Amino acid sequence: MTPAYDEAWYSSRAADGIGRLAAYDPGHDVAGMRERTQWLVELGSNENPYGPSPVARAAVLDALHLMHRYPDPRGARLKAALSNRHGVEPERILLGNGSHELLMQFAQVFAGPGADVVYSQYGFAVFALAAGASGATCRVAAALAPDATMPLGHDVEALLRAITPSTRLVYIANPNNPTGTWLDRDSLARFVDAVPADVILVVDEAYGELADAHNYASALTLTKSRPNLVVTRTFSKAYALAGVRCGYAIAAEGLVAVMERVRESFNVNAFALAACEAALADEAHLAWCRERNAEQRSALTTALRQRGIAVLPSQTNFVLAHFGERTGAIEAALVERGVVLRPMAGYGLPDYSRITIGTADENRRLLAALDEVFP
Ligand SMILES: *Cc1c(COP(=O)(O)O)cnc(C)c1O
């Protein structure tokens, strides 16, 4: 009999782990909607609505004349800039085509069939994809209850309990997407100490630059004394460079050297290298975006709560809002009004929507549309 050559058939031919995997759900077709809608309010993907530093734009234009050449495979200039910024040797920096690429490769390199990978329920979706694609077994630690201080946030004790002798890799995002919640400085330090020293711990700080709570601390300083600790960052969020695709990891030199073995030689393109180097130098623009975001985050949180909508505490550029049973209907009605949020059913949170913090104007439009559909 001839096979159907459908997805199921190819899936049966795929490598260990891939057969059970479902592709990343990107949410609404925003690119398509842009072509049909005049003034779309894009609050679905946690992008920075203010755009990148003008210096970063200029750097991309400047890089155009080298379009026919391969980019620097070492990313030396960007690494030098990052080395300066974070006070770490360039040998401890790994560049990725977005941090997404690096998150996938950590599992490819350090997990694989027979290994366990631990992460939290409602943790970042890429952790499950990365672990699954490597053929590893996923061990998902239950999140905190909805009525906890950090509702749906990471439960440190549950994460530690999920670690077995087969565990090779642990992922946490701090602050976390899609909840927006964070581990405070002491909980994070205790967690880093408690993870066995031969288990690689990845702390994803995609929103690190946007966190300003007095009790938030980056894990970067801990990487010096913890050879099993990796911190990832991205240029996609606070730096407003999601379109150029660049992220990085900071870890022990030996760990970076092993990761280099699977890195595609030219994974970060010439425009990304130029834009990110320039963006790093414009600290004023970053600070300005951080302030606007904090101000709008607080205003939007208050406005939603005044409407009786529960909103989780957030240290990011988005909030997770509880719309209850009408979530799907509300999201659809908002889309009709040109406002795009991120549906959360794929995360097992069908009664919630993730809302990126927009500009003051965008948030006004969101609230106006909400008042029409959620009286
Ligand atoms: C957006 C995001 C990323 C980063 O993505 P890039 O691939 O660097 O654009 C990583 N982790 C989390 C938790 C995120 O929300």
Side-chain angles (χ1 to χ4, degrees):
M1 222 181 83
T2 323
Y5 297 118
D6 56 1
E7 183 174 348
W9 184 78
Y10 288 103
S11 183
S12 73
R13 314 296 301 154
D16 268 1
I18 309 278
R20 292 186 300 273
L21 223 53
Y24 178 76
D25 170 13
H28 293 284
D29 172 24
V30 173
M33 290 165 83
R34 257 179 223 151
E35 289 171 16
R36 295 188 298 271
T37 313
Q38 271 276 321
W39 184 30
L40 203 59
V41 180
E42 300 181 22
L43 306 178
S45 294
N46 301 342
E47 294 140 336
N48 177 337
Y50 306 103
S53 155
V55 192
R57 285 178 212 261
V60 170
L61 294 181
D62 233 33
L64 284 178
H65 74 285
L66 281 176
M67 195 185 239
H68 59 304
R69 301 292 180 196
Y70 279 109
D72 175 10
R74 294 177 187 82
R77 290 178 57 107
L78 178 55
K79 279 189 190 167
L82 286 167
S83 160
N84 244 329
R85 162 60 55 90
H86 294 301
V88 302
E89 299 77 13
E91 294 75 24
R92 295 182 50 209
I93 303 171
L94 184 69
L95 299 179
N97 189 270
S99 49
H100 189 143
E101 181 188 53
L102 299 176
L103 294 171
M104 296 296 290
Q105 286 174 356
F106 287 122
Q108 183 191 350
V109 170
F110 294 109
D116 281 1
V117 176
V118 169
Y119 51 86
S120 177
Q121 179 187 24
Y122 314 133
F124 186 41
V126 170
F127 303 159
L129 269 177
S134 81
T137 303
C138 300
R139 290 182 56 84
V140 185
L144 294 170
D147 57 356
T149 336
M150 279 295 160
L152 312 182
H154 290 358
D155 180 340
V156 172
E157 298 309 319
L159 279 162
L160 290 173
R161 278 196 306 273
I163 296 174
T164 70
S166 306
T167 302
R168 296 294 192 87
L169 186 61
V170 176
Y171 290 107
I172 64 164
N174 193 39
N176 183 49
N177 174 13
T179 57
T181 54
W182 67 102
L183 289 181
D184 63 62
R185 179 186 287 106
D186 296 342
S187 308
L188 175 72
R190 265 187 281 118
F191 182 65
V192 171
D193 273 346
V195 170
D198 58 353
V199 172
I200 305 296
L201 169 60
V202 176
V203 180
D204 174 353
E205 295 186 345
Y207 302 95
E209 297 89 355
L210 295 168
D212 56 6
H214 63 92
N215 67 355
Y216 173 82
S218 166
L220 266 175
T221 51
L222 303 175
T223 58
K224 273 215 159 59
S225 54
R226 298 280 157 191
N228 62 328
L229 177 62
V230 179
V231 173
T232 62
R233 291 277 181 105
T234 181
F235 286 97
S236 300
K237 307 287 160 58
Y239 287 99
L241 289 167
V244 304
R245 313 300 305 126
C246 185
Y248 59 98
I250 292 179
E253 189 177 335
L255 190 154
V256 168
V258 172
M259 287 286 291
E260 280 288 335
R261 298 176 190 172
V262 301
R263 186 178 64 84
E264 189 264 306
S265 332
F266 305 102
N267 62 333
V268 183
N269 72 68
F271 310 108
L273 290 174
C276 295
E277 183 191 345
L280 267 183
D282 192 348
E283 293 187 35
H285 184 78
L286 178 68
W288 186 86
C289 290
R290 186 197 293 128
E291 270 170 49
R292 292 291 82 68
N293 179 66
E295 168 192 294
Q296 289 304 315
R297 179 174 62 204
S298 150
L300 184 64
T301 301
T302 305
L304 290 169
R305 286 180 180 157
Q306 276 167 354
R307 285 161 174 79
I309 300 159
V311 176
L312 269 60
S314 168
Q315 278 294 294
T316 63
N317 64 349
F318 61 85
V319 289
L320 191 65
H322 184 259
F323 290 119
E325 281 175 7
R326 293 176 56 207
T327 303
I330 291 169
E331 277 171 2
L334 288 178
V335 164
E336 273 171 35
R337 288 160 177 79
V339 180
V340 184
L341 312 184
R342 183 55 164 270
M344 286 287 109
Y347 273 95
L349 294 165
D351 292 348
Y352 294 80
S353 301
R354 196 189 65 196
I355 309 174
T356 303
I357 311 297
T359 62
D361 254 9
E362 291 174 322
N363 296 336
R364 253 195 301 280
R365 269 200 65 198
L366 160 70
L367 292 168
L370 253 187
D371 287 339
E372 285 179 29
V373 305
F374 191 83

